[in-house]
Amino acid sequence: MEPFTIATGTMDNAQNVFIRVHTDAGFYGVGECSAFPMIVGETQDTCLIMAREFARLWKGHDALDIPARMQQLHDFTAGNTTIKSAFDIALFDIAAKNAGLPLYQFLGGEKREVESDITIGIAGPHSMALKALDFKASGANILKVKLGKNAVEDVARIKQMREAVGKDLKIRIDANQGWNFDEAVFALQALGPYDIEFCEQPMRTWFDDRLPQLMQLSPVKIMADESVFNHHDARKQINSGSCHYINIKMSKSGGILEAKKIHDEAAAKGIACMMGGMLESRIALSAKLHFVYASPNIKFYDMDTCMLGHLQDPCLGGVTYDGYKLNISDEPGIGADASEAFLANCEYYKV
């Protein structure tokens, strides 16, 4: 992929893993995950190693008992949420195919308009402002801007960007844990006049105890990202008054089963959620769109990963884009698979 820079580092390739889980019913489920080591601590290699272990655990067991199958993985190893998410998605694909339903209907959802933001990676203020103008010209209505390298420069980045695009576009920012407390206070207060929708994860998770204080001092609303991997994290963030919103990602939650628990925990407390992601292809993105359709408390959509410079598309079927709006067919399951031609050039393991 085209190089993409955030506060924690630069990625020039997507470390994705694709799986198929075969059943004795004659069909299989597919799953995909995207390792982002700077955030979740997993790589493509660690995902492949754990995937082979997970596959051995599931042989001969009931694919339709999703909680039991995922509990097997949790009992086997803590963490490893990224590769767990691929296995979770494959199970939901199987369950929906078995029911003859698209996944969103299997989950009790219905289609609605979903318009993604588009993300601008960290660069110089002038370059980022020009990128924002390019996206505006292409029809984007919502910009997500990566910050967190230098608080003073971050303010300059947003100032130039807002002056360039005017007042019509929404701007949301993501510091990816890049600031300390004092830097976060400075940046967020300085950014107050620029009509920022929210700021994702301003500080490292080890400063979570200072988030309630930051919430009081910031004119910009705070969204928890790396601070919330599961519904227990969500409960703690919400109950301590540490966030206005929560970003749900399959690579953090371990898949749809836990993502639903985060969604429901937040919904019960009036905390809206966003659907986010790492660098997944349209395969995992399809599963995420189905989940969004079934999750009314997801109000924000950061579902642009396939538009961020992916130089190859391994997906057959799946999500389509109409500008920045997402759509999908009503095929049973997640409605996406990997191209055999693409897979022919990949590392391959069978258990």
Side-chain angles (χ1 to χ4, degrees), residues 179-201:
W179 300 322
N180 63 32
F181 178 78
D182 291 338
E183 290 167 339
V185 171
F186 163 78
L188 293 173
Q189 290 184 346
L191 291 172
Y194 299 111
D195 189 23
I196 305 303
E197 188 176 19
F198 54 75
C199 174
E200 283 185 65
Q201 200 68 34

Side-chain angles (χ1 to χ4, degrees), residues 131-326:
K131 192 71 171 178
L133 283 172
D134 287 343
F135 284 140
K136 180 180 181 180
S138 72
N141 293 309
I142 312 163
L143 301 177
K144 175 174 170 174
V145 184
K146 294 292 189 178
L147 303 176
K149 284 285 191 182
N150 179 294
V152 174
E153 292 179 6
D154 287 338
V155 175
R157 290 178 171 102
I158 295 301
K159 179 176 185 296
Q160 285 199 33
M161 193 173 299
R162 178 56 83 190
E163 290 172 350
V165 302
K167 298 179 179 180
D168 294 339
L169 270 66
K170 290 182 179 179
I171 295 179
R172 52 187 63 155
I173 61 176
D174 184 2
N176 279 118
Q177 308 183 80
W179 300 322
N180 63 32
F181 178 78
D182 291 338
E183 290 167 339
V185 171
F186 163 78
L188 293 173
Q189 290 184 346
L191 291 172
Y194 299 111
D195 189 23
I196 305 303
E197 188 176 19
F198 54 75
C199 174
E200 283 185 65
Q201 200 68 34
M203 304 183 295
R204 285 279 181 182
T205 56
W206 52 66
F207 293 128
D208 278 358
D209 61 321
R210 304 205 70 180
L211 280 169
Q213 184 182 2
L214 183 62
M215 291 269 286
Q216 297 300 316
L217 295 172
S218 173
V220 178
K221 292 186 176 182
I222 305 298
M223 175 178 282
D225 183 359
E226 290 91 338
S227 292
V228 175
F229 273 57
N230 55 52
H231 73 285
H232 299 295
D233 295 334
R235 183 191 70 249
K236 290 187 289 184
Q237 288 286 301
I238 295 168
N239 290 349
S240 62
S242 297
C243 65
H244 297 95
Y245 309 123
I246 290 173
N247 188 356
I248 298 175
K249 294 176 178 175
M250 298 300 173
S251 289
K252 293 186 303 169
S253 71
I256 293 169
L257 194 66
E258 182 64 26
K260 178 70 163 58
K261 294 178 182 179
I262 298 171
H263 171 274
D264 292 351
E265 179 74 28
K269 304 289 178 60
I271 300 294
C273 295
M274 180 161 80
M275 187 76 249
M278 300 303 187
L279 295 171
E280 297 92 345
S281 79
R282 291 188 302 110
I283 299 169
L285 181 65
S286 299
K288 290 192 290 182
L289 182 59
H290 284 287
F291 178 70
V292 165
Y293 286 153
S295 305
N297 192 48
I298 295 180
K299 309 291 188 183
F300 311 106
Y301 317 108
D302 179 31
M303 303 175 70
D304 61 344
T305 58
C306 305
M307 305 171 78
L308 294 176
H310 281 201
L311 301 178
Q312 291 178 286
D313 181 5
C315 183
L316 295 177
V319 165
T320 58
Y321 286 100
D322 178 10
Y324 293 90
K325 295 178 181 178
L326 282 70

Side-chain angles (χ1 to χ4, degrees), residues 81-103:
T81 53
T82 299
I83 187 58
K84 284 177 180 175
S85 72
F87 278 73
D88 169 285
I89 289 169
L91 289 182
F92 277 96
D93 189 31
I94 289 169
K97 286 175 177 174
N98 184 68
L101 297 171
L103 179 57

